[in-house]
Amino acid sequence: MGIELQYLLPIITISFFVVTAIVFDALLQNKIFSFVWSIIGLIVVIGTASYTFVIPSLELMNLSKEGLITKNMVFFGGYASFFDIVFAGAGLMTILASRVYIKREYKELNEYYSLILITVSGMMLIGHSNNLLILFIGIEIMSISFYVLAGYFRNSIKSIEASLKYFLLGSFATGFLVYGIALLYGATGSLDLNIITSNLIAGKFNHIYFLLGSGLILIGLSFKVAAFPFHQWAPDVYQGSPTVASGFMSSAGKAAAMIAFIIVFKHILPAVNNPVLIKDTHLIQNIIAVLAACTMLLGNFTALAQTNVKRMLAYSSVAHAGYLLIGIASNNSTGWTGVLFYSVAYILMQLGAFIVLSVIERNEQSNLELSDFAGLSRSHPILAALMAVFMLSLAGIPPFAGFFGKYYLFVSAVKADYVWLTIVAVISSIISMYYYIGIILQMYFKDPRSVALEADYGLARIPLFIAVAGLVIFGVFPSLLADVAYYFF
Amino acid sequence: MLETLRTIDMYDMIKFIPLIPLIGFLILGLTGKYIKKEAVIGTIGSLAVFIPFVLSIILFIDIVKQHITSPVIVPVYTWINTGQLSISISYQVDQLSILFSLIITGVGFLIHIYSIGYMHGDRSFSRFFAYLNLFIFMMLNLVLSSNFLLTFLGWEGVGLCSYLLIGFWYDQKFEGTRITWTGDAANKAFIVNRIGDFGFIIAMFLIFLTFNSLDYQTVKEAAAGGAFAYYNTGILTAITLLMFLGCTGKSAQIPLAVWLPDAMAGPTPVSALIHAATMVTAGIFLIARNSVLFALAPDTMMVVAIVGLATAFFAATIGLVQNDIKKVLAYSTVSQLGFMFIALGVGAFTAGVFHVMTHAFFKGLLFLGAGSVIHGMHHQQNIKMMGGLKKYMPVTYITFFVATLAISGIPFFSGFFSKDEILWSAFSKGHWIMWLIGATAAFFTAFYMFRLLKLTFHGEERFDPHHVHPHESPKTMTIPLIILAVLSALGGFLGIPYALGSWFSAHPNLLENFLDPVFEDAQKIISTATMKVSSGNEIHFQEYLLMLISTGIALSGIYLANKFYSDALWSVPRALAKNFRGTYNLLFKKYKLDEFYFATVVDPCIETSRSFLWKIFDVKYIDGLVNGLGRTSMGIGETVRKLQTGIVQNYAVIMTGGIILILFWIFISL
């Protein structure tokens, strides 16, 4: 097999499993088969992506760019392979946690699993994109599957409302993304990110179109990560969607959009000596920094006022988009490393927290008030401990991975001379302590409510274990992840 | 090449030296409650120290064979690596670290064995061994580390273990200045040490600012490489003084010496292991490890020597009048640690480390012997209520006697060699007054030690024979005593001075030969600065004379003690105490240092905290600020929340607003 095809294996396998999953759904109508098939698919994808790590990188150097089947539209290896594993892993955790939940709350339908697979394929395509068109296709595959996932509980008004809001506002934002891409094409004459970079460095670009295009892409992507002021859909959608799916959307979905951010802005904000370009770069960086600061503050302040844990976590996910944007605003390798590290940590803790919610949720959305968590440590000590770990990690307290993610991001901002941004980030982190610790307070120091909650784990035990283990391992040995990430950029 | 590889592989073994006690701690700490047999717990605990001891011996032999001249760094794991700051666990194999490791694991192992007998029947038997193993783990990290941070971790860790073990019998009463139970003593030890630790932390910050590194080897090379001119070393003086402040805390020197006597609230094996043989020598280790920095800061060296001298003298005088067997030994320890600091202060690093070693043998032995007596006397600790125990506890008596001879400095016992080397260094490299004060302290030492011996083991039986039946301790306790007695008697021959050994070898001092690579740079700096060529290989007539004088001093101390306390009425000491009542009381009350600290520092602190910081500052300002901020934040949250109307058109409007603002920003920048 050609070396290029070997590198493409993760994409090929996920596409194969997506297509077969849809076909089998239609033909067999067997839920267990669909469930198992999608799990097998994601495990195979993780395997093939790991395989691309061990292919000697020397051979990658020998690939001549002209002779590629993919015409240089796709990026191989490195962070792309890394994120293949991360996204497929997140999908796997989601599917494992979903079965018992959707069966209990609505009913198990085959399409749920294929939807997750399709979403993962879109996310992977984002990571592999080396061309704005591929990037756009990846984003749209992911987003459209999310619209459907949000409305999965088709009898629930909240779920349908979430889906519709997400779809309407998403389409609105997508328009800006496409327009931005078009302007960037007009400014530089190419959709290929490498050519865009070389044209920018060579000074062959239209200044106004370039800035407008960058700004519009920034707006489109900001919507996808739910950054201020394009965040308002997020709390409504995350609260209305099936809980496990919200976890998946708000964690892996956000990470995928952040990768898109890195890929685009790493290429259109190159470090060069061209004074015009430096000025433009600073402008875009400043805009991102302001968005990041507002997002963090707004997300955390609003989360303070929430009494529903699911909604609170939705706002906290807005705040986390702000932290992640710091890495983009810094526009240096520490920042990208930080985004990569924090994405992994964030997927583990956010998804973990939502899975905990899904375990105790009953009758669509009940049992999710803050007061329902009172005394959880006595009725369900393990569940309470897990939730406490996720909350501490989200709050950024060592020895959990969340701490180091924030640490790298803050360091990158200092390196990029955004000291004020770091100060804002630290302050908003302190604000966030209040509501994260508030849950722990409820669980450990309040008397249990009169009717004890029931916990229904099913297979959710596995993803919960993975999440906690990952948070502890990467928190105690951050270099395991940080060294790998640093090598990518 | 192959040879080099082999040694590097071999030194990798050092990782296991701290790891095994940690495993021991985890096993005993997690499952000890469920192990019912004391023998099993004791075996696990002792093995966890014995295996590292064997590994240390193997490494020691290899170092001797290989003659390594620079330390071998064995990285274990890097925790954070950002910019200049690298926080890593890595160990350093060199002569100094292995020597300390041998002392810690060797003496530690004997004390573990001893504890099996001593702690027999205690309801927290497994907890005791778990703490002991944790202590050994922390102590090994302290001495084996290749950087300040890991040493600091060990430093704090041993402090924690010391705290836990002083208050081990947390429900027992203990007498002391404003101390009523063991927990107070533990708190005192911990809090006094915080002051020293503060100095150590600041010293680390300054080191990082100055050298951009916290690795011993990097700092040492930078300092020795001529980055600092002699006598032009303000920053080094600051660093070393602060570091020395840490040492005065951990090693119980003036002004932070007050905690150690009260630390005797812990079980006696703890006093032997932590508060005599190992932890309290951490300060000496730290200075020896950074000998180059100290050598470059002569002012600090002076302070170290003077503080050591003062501590050696004053602690010895307090020891003269104490009646609690462990208190006497505690002041003796403080005094002996003072001797070690004198050695370091005058630049005789080897002599200081040598005294650490011999002191670990004989003071460990003395404490264990005291433990054996206390065990046999049903927890009676007042020596005035003892007497005549010699016939009941022959093994304890003989070993205690050997240790007493060693600490008094009787020729050819271990203490003679190490103490004499210190006194000679003080004379030749320092000043004759230093020698005089040191020799006086040595005289007091001989006196109070023989007073202790006489009152405990000789003379008439002053205890109530109906209630107390003294008996010899079990084998697990006496065998460690015998081994330590042999070491106390013979250990000094590792450091035979040139003046006595020149007839058989040009380098008779084995310890000095062994430690030479560690202190080479420091010695070079000192000898260049003082324009003195190393006088190691010359025989001074004075040296023989001083040796004779100090032997005479020791013998006269013994003679006096013997004379004073052979008389059943103790008429001479009683008369002295009566005629010099003021002095006696001052000594008995330990110069009222505790009272002084309470009056000048502790009480004002507590009073200010209570009436101002708490009732005014905290309640009014801090709470007001915090609550105000909290209300404001909640208010902001509630306000922003109202923007979230749930109506999708409103969201689109806000989005559009955002888009317009961003594009506007871009346009005005064009």
Side-chain angles (χ1 to χ4, degrees):
Chain A
M1 194 168 18
I3 191 83
E4 188 191 358
L5 282 179
Q6 291 184 36
Y7 269 112
L8 280 174
L9 266 179
I11 299 269
I12 294 171
T13 42
I14 189 73
S15 310
F16 169 79
F17 279 99
V18 165
V19 173
T20 47
I22 294 171
V23 172
F24 286 140
D25 284 354
L27 292 181
L28 295 177
Q29 298 280 341
N30 184 333
K31 296 177 181 83
I32 297 191
F33 181 85
S34 301
F35 177 69
V36 174
W37 186 247
S38 53
I39 288 173
I40 293 173
L42 289 171
I43 290 174
V44 170
V45 170
I46 292 175
T48 51
S50 313
Y51 170 71
T52 57
F53 268 120
V54 292
I55 303 174
S57 56
L58 195 69
E59 303 201 32
L60 181 64
M61 311 291 281
N62 290 341
L63 287 175
S64 66
K65 301 231 160 172
E66 289 74 29
L68 293 178
I69 312 167
T70 48
K71 300 290 176 208
N72 209 22
M73 288 176 98
V74 175
F75 178 85
F76 316 112
Y79 62 82
S81 297
F82 177 81
F83 273 105
D84 287 346
I85 297 174
V86 172
F87 293 140
L92 196 59
M93 287 168 72
T94 311
I95 289 178
L96 286 171
S98 291
R99 185 147 192 264
V100 66
Y101 172 74
I102 56 173
K103 252 164 88 176
R104 186 182 68 229
E105 297 301 318
Y106 176 55
K107 61 182 173 189
E108 188 183 16
L109 297 172
N110 298 340
E111 70 217 31
Y112 184 86
Y113 303 119
S114 2
L115 272 170
I116 302 271
L117 278 185
I118 297 171
T119 320
V120 170
S121 77
M123 293 172 177
M124 286 169 59
L125 207 55
I126 297 174
H128 279 275
S129 60
N130 200 26
N131 184 301
L132 288 171
L133 266 186
I134 300 288
L135 185 86
F136 181 71
I137 292 170
I139 290 178
E140 282 313 292
I141 292 177
M142 176 181 87
S143 301
I144 292 168
S145 326
F146 276 165
Y147 305 151
V148 184
L149 265 181
Y152 179 77
F153 287 165
R154 62 183 86 153
N155 292 342
S156 152
I157 291 179
K158 274 199 167 179
S159 183
I160 293 183
E161 182 193 334
S163 175
L164 193 66
K165 273 185 184 167
Y166 197 4
F167 171 65
L168 287 174
L169 295 171
S171 317
F172 185 45
T174 302
F176 289 96
L177 185 60
V178 183
Y179 198 14
I181 291 173
L183 281 174
L184 211 54
Y185 176 74
T188 58
S190 176
L191 285 171
D192 184 314
L193 284 162
N194 291 332
I195 299 176
I196 291 178
T197 311
S198 52
N199 282 352
L200 286 173
I201 294 172
K204 289 191 281 184
F205 68 101
N206 182 305
H207 182 57
I208 298 175
Y209 283 179
F210 167 69
L211 268 185
L212 281 180
S214 312
L216 290 177
I217 290 184
L218 173 62
I219 290 164
L221 290 178
S222 295
F223 176 87
K224 300 293 175 195
V225 299
F228 174 86
F230 316 108
H231 67 280
Q232 286 190 302
W233 59 274
D236 294 4
V237 171
Y238 294 158
Q239 196 184 14
S241 310
T243 304
V244 183
S246 311
F248 184 56
M249 291 192 279
S250 64
S251 59
K254 190 156 300 193
M258 288 312 300
I259 301 314
F261 251 114
I262 293 183
I263 291 173
V264 173
F265 286 92
K266 187 168 105 119
H267 282 99
I268 66 172
L269 303 177
V272 285
N273 282 329
N274 181 342
V276 179
L277 205 55
I278 287 178
K279 193 166 158 272
D280 291 355
T281 304
H282 279 306
L283 175 62
I284 302 285
Q285 278 181 283
N286 284 338
I287 296 176
I288 300 176
V290 170
L291 288 190
C294 295
T295 310
M296 287 183 285
L297 287 173
L298 184 118
N300 282 324
F301 271 125
T302 327
L304 279 184
Q306 304 303 322
T307 53
N308 180 295
V309 177
K310 194 174 173 186
R311 195 164 177 85
M312 191 203 83
L313 284 175
Y315 276 107
S316 114
S317 97
V318 172
H320 284 273
Y323 299 132
L324 283 159
L325 278 177
I326 295 174
I328 308 297
S330 312
N331 198 38
N332 54 28
S333 60
T334 316
W336 300 322
T337 308
V339 172
L340 197 143
F341 190 106
Y342 203 56
S343 299
V344 175
Y346 182 62
I347 287 175
L348 292 173
M349 55 206 187
Q350 178 83 354
L351 194 50
F354 270 92
I355 292 174
V356 170
L357 295 188
S358 80
V359 167
I360 56 171
E361 182 181 337
R362 288 295 177 282
N363 304 325
E364 288 174 34
Q365 317 283 350
S366 68
N367 290 356
L368 293 182
E369 289 299 315
L370 197 53
S371 53
D372 292 326
F373 279 75
L376 192 67
S377 65
R378 260 163 278 176
S379 52
H380 299 286
I382 296 177
L383 199 66
L386 289 168
M387 193 65 175
V389 169
F390 298 137
M391 289 305 118
L392 291 174
S393 184
L394 281 166
I397 291 170
F400 303 112
F403 166 75
F404 280 100
K406 271 190 188 152
Y407 174 74
Y408 291 124
L409 288 169
F410 294 179
V411 166
S412 80
V414 174
K415 276 190 182 167
D417 284 335
Y418 279 115
V419 177
W420 68 267
L421 186 57
T422 317
I423 294 171
V424 172
V426 171
I427 291 174
S428 59
S429 282
I430 296 170
I431 296 170
S432 73
M433 296 281 174
Y434 175 82
Y435 57 86
Y436 291 130
I437 306 291
I439 294 187
I440 297 178
L441 190 79
Q442 288 286 339
M443 293 192 300
Y444 283 88
F445 301 106
K446 292 280 161 80
D447 289 327
R449 34 173 255 172
S450 49
V451 186
L453 291 173
E454 281 173 47
D456 188 4
Y457 289 96
L459 283 170
R461 283 188 184 89
I462 302 169
L464 283 173
F465 173 77
I466 296 174
V468 165
L471 288 175
V472 172
I473 290 171
F474 294 136
V476 179
F477 306 99
S479 44
L480 282 181
L481 197 53
D483 288 354
V484 174
Y486 203 77
Y487 154 85
F488 292 147
F489 301 108
Chain B
M1 186 64 199
L2 264 177
E3 194 61 22
T4 341
L5 279 177
R6 191 194 64 82
T7 31
I8 289 170
D9 278 351
M10 170 133 189
Y11 292 148
D12 258 8
M13 205 161 66
I14 198 173
K15 291 173 188 170
F16 294 99
I17 295 180
L19 181 67
I20 292 166
L22 177 66
I23 295 173
F25 162 67
L26 291 176
I27 293 175
L28 292 177
L30 294 174
T31 67
K33 247 196 323 195
Y34 309 104
I35 306 177
K36 289 281 170 277
K37 285 209 162 147
E38 285 186 358
V40 178
I41 296 171
T43 312
I44 295 174
S46 307
L47 266 184
V49 187
F50 183 68
I51 299 169
F53 178 57
V54 174
L55 295 179
S56 304
I57 291 178
I58 296 172
L59 282 179
F60 173 76
I61 293 171
D62 202 72
I63 288 178
V64 172
K65 271 196 201 148
Q66 303 287 328
H67 295 294
I68 58 163
T69 48
S70 59
V72 179
I73 310 288
V74 181
V76 179
Y77 153 64
T78 304
W79 189 46
I80 309 180
N81 196 356
T82 54
Q84 294 163 331
L85 179 68
S86 163
I87 300 178
S88 62
I89 295 175
S90 66
Y91 295 117
Q92 174 163 354
V93 187
D94 69 355
Q95 287 82 355
L96 188 66
S97 63
I98 287 300
L99 185 70
F100 267 87
S101 164
L102 276 175
I103 297 172
I104 293 160
T105 52
V107 177
F109 170 63
L110 292 175
I111 293 174
H112 273 71
I113 296 287
Y114 176 93
S115 305
I116 298 176
Y118 190 84
M119 299 301 287
H120 171 70
D122 194 282
R123 64 193 160 100
S124 303
F125 193 82
S126 68
R127 185 164 62 95
F128 183 77
F129 276 87
Y131 287 166
L132 279 192
N133 276 352
L134 180 66
F135 169 76
I136 297 281
F137 165 71
M138 289 298 183
M139 193 68 206
L140 287 171
N141 269 309
L142 196 163
V143 298
L144 293 178
S145 158
S146 77
N147 57 56
F148 282 95
L149 273 175
L150 185 57
T151 294
F152 187 68
L153 183 87
W155 186 275
E156 293 296 297
V158 292
L160 169 72
C161 295
S162 159
Y163 169 80
L164 292 172
L165 285 163
I166 293 170
F168 183 76
W169 288 319
Y170 47 82
D171 47 2
Q172 286 195 356
K173 294 232 179 252
F174 184 78
E175 295 255 326
T177 316
R178 298 239 210 143
I179 287 177
T180 47
W181 59 295
T182 57
D184 291 337
N187 280 340
K188 182 175 178 183
F190 199 75
I191 293 167
V192 172
N193 264 299
R194 304 311 309 160
I195 301 168
D197 297 345
F198 169 75
F200 190 3
I201 292 176
I202 305 286
M204 281 203 296
F205 289 157
L206 288 179
I207 288 167
F208 188 71
L209 278 178
T210 317
F211 297 96
N212 280 330
S213 171
L214 285 173
D215 286 341
Y216 287 130
Q217 201 54 20
T218 320
V219 171
K220 180 181 173 181
E221 278 162 12
F228 297 92
Y230 200 71
Y231 289 121
N232 182 20
T233 52
I235 184 75
L236 283 189
T237 307
I239 290 173
T240 46
L241 274 178
L242 285 164
M243 213 187 281
F244 180 60
L245 180 63
C247 299
T248 57
K250 196 75 37 205
S251 296
Q253 297 296 293
I254 292 171
L256 301 179
V258 288
W259 65 270
L260 187 59
D262 291 319
M264 297 303 130
T268 309
V270 171
S271 310
L273 177 64
I274 302 185
H275 304 117
T278 55
M279 184 188 84
V280 288
T281 62
I284 289 98
F285 169 80
L286 191 67
I287 294 182
R289 172 56 85 211
N290 295 294
S291 53
V292 169
L293 295 185
F294 279 83
L296 283 167
D299 298 337
T300 310
M301 293 286 271
M302 179 88 89
V303 173
V304 172
I306 290 172
V307 167
L309 198 62
T311 312
F313 182 81
F314 286 117
T317 55
I318 299 174
L320 294 173
V321 298
Q322 298 300 314
N323 294 326
D324 182 315
I325 186 167
K326 286 179 73 181
K327 284 264 168 88
V328 176
L329 293 177
Y331 282 105
S332 164
T333 305
V334 174
S335 169
Q336 296 298 313
L337 290 166
F339 274 103
M340 297 172 206
F341 279 103
I342 298 174
L344 299 174
V346 297
F349 298 108
T350 315
V353 174
F354 186 26
H355 203 54
V356 167
M357 187 180 82
T358 57
H359 179 254
F361 297 152
F362 61 67
K363 188 54 65 63
L365 173 54
L366 286 170
F367 266 112
L368 296 187
S372 181
V373 169
I374 295 166
H375 189 75
M377 293 289 294
H378 308 287
H379 294 274
Q380 174 60 266
Q381 299 197 7
N382 190 338
I383 47 176
K384 294 206 163 162
M385 308 297 279
M386 294 180 187
L389 292 180
K390 164 164 93 162
K391 67 175 179 211
Y392 299 106
M393 316 175 88
V395 181
T396 307
Y397 170 64
I398 292 168
T399 52
F400 201 90
F401 187 59
V402 171
T404 310
L405 291 177
I407 192 175
S408 304
I410 298 301
F412 310 114
F413 285 87
S414 59
F416 167 73
F417 291 102
S418 56
K419 193 192 287 181
D420 222 58
E421 200 178 331
I422 292 174
L423 287 175
W424 167 242
S425 310
F427 182 83
S428 65
K429 298 182 182 174
H431 199 273
W432 63 269
I433 291 180
M434 291 174 88
W435 176 85
L436 188 67
I437 301 174
T440 317
F443 167 73
F444 290 148
T445 308
F447 180 85
Y448 68 66
M449 281 315 299
F450 269 84
R451 170 180 175 264
L452 183 65
L453 188 79
K454 283 297 281 187
L455 290 180
T456 310
F457 292 101
H458 293 260
E460 61 185 73
E461 298 167 13
R462 291 180 301 276
F463 49 86
D464 180 357
H466 300 296
H467 292 105
V468 181
H469 308 283
H471 56 85
E472 185 56 283
S473 300
K475 284 244 161 30
T476 53
M477 289 166 72
T478 49
I479 289 173
L481 290 180
I482 294 167
I483 298 174
L484 280 174
V486 173
L487 289 170
S488 302
L490 304 178
F493 289 101
L494 287 173
I496 303 171
Y498 182 70
L500 291 180
S502 58
W503 55 273
F504 69 88
S505 160
H507 299 287
N509 192 334
L510 296 176
L511 194 75
E512 197 174 285
N513 300 342
F514 178 67
L515 287 174
D516 189 47
V518 180
F519 299 124
E520 206 181 359
D521 289 328
Q523 296 297 0
K524 224 178 269 170
I525 292 165
I526 291 174
S527 54
T528 339
T530 53
M531 307 283 212
K532 269 189 199 165
V533 188
S534 172
S535 57
N537 284 349
E538 296 160 41
I539 299 179
H540 291 268
F541 164 70
Q542 292 157 316
E543 193 172 352
Y544 290 119
L545 187 69
L546 291 179
M547 235 178 247
L548 275 177
I549 294 175
S550 60
T551 308
I553 284 172
L555 288 174
S556 57
I558 295 171
Y559 171 77
L560 271 182
N562 207 22
K563 192 154 185 253
F564 281 15
Y565 293 96
S566 288
D567 166 13
L569 294 169
W570 309 329
S571 48
V572 183
R574 281 200 173 140
L576 281 174
K578 206 173 170 186
N579 293 338
F580 299 96
R581 179 138 298 275
T583 320
Y584 177 81
N585 274 341
L586 192 64
L587 292 183
F588 191 73
K589 294 265 176 195
K590 309 140 195 173
Y591 295 99
K592 305 208 170 173
L593 200 59
D594 275 323
E595 284 79 359
F596 175 74
Y597 283 156
F598 271 109
T600 56
V601 182
V602 182
D603 287 340
C605 264
I606 292 177
E607 196 44 41
T608 320
S609 305
R610 184 173 299 157
S611 53
F612 174 68
L613 289 178
W614 168 30
K615 286 186 178 155
I616 298 174
F617 191 71
D618 191 52
V619 171
K620 281 196 181 156
Y621 297 98
I622 302 280
D623 284 5
L625 187 71
V626 170
N627 290 338
L629 274 179
R631 269 195 296 274
T632 318
S633 302
M634 279 303 215
I636 295 175
E638 292 289 345
T639 316
V640 184
R641 190 184 183 179
K642 294 202 179 91
L643 284 177
Q644 194 80 19
T645 52
I647 299 166
V648 79
Q649 290 89 329
N650 292 356
Y651 295 177
V653 170
I654 289 174
M655 274 175 75
T656 314
I659 293 162
I660 291 170
L661 276 180
I662 289 175
L663 293 183
F664 180 69
W665 189 352
I666 290 177
F667 272 114
I668 56 167
S669 315
L670 277 176

